[in-house]
Amino acid sequence: MTEKVEIENDTIKSKRGNHHGIGLLNVKAVVDKYGGDMVLSCDENEFKAVVIL
């Protein structure tokens, strides 16, 4: 990644408009449907999306 991603309310705050990052919202919907958990994190070098079902 070229810059740190801003995470707000367990979602990525997009700088490119409303339709970027929609894939993670779909993943979150499935995780919620099946009672799982999803944690997003980011530092200067790495973005992580951890999903537990």
Side-chain angles (χ1 to χ4, degrees), residues 5 10-12 20-31 38 40 47-49 51:
V5 176
D10 293 328
T11 59
I12 295 174
H20 288 271
I22 195 90
L24 283 175
L25 292 176
N26 291 333
V27 171
K28 178 70 173 148
V30 172
V31 168
M38 183 170 92
L40 303 177
F47 170 79
K48 288 183 187 179
V51 176

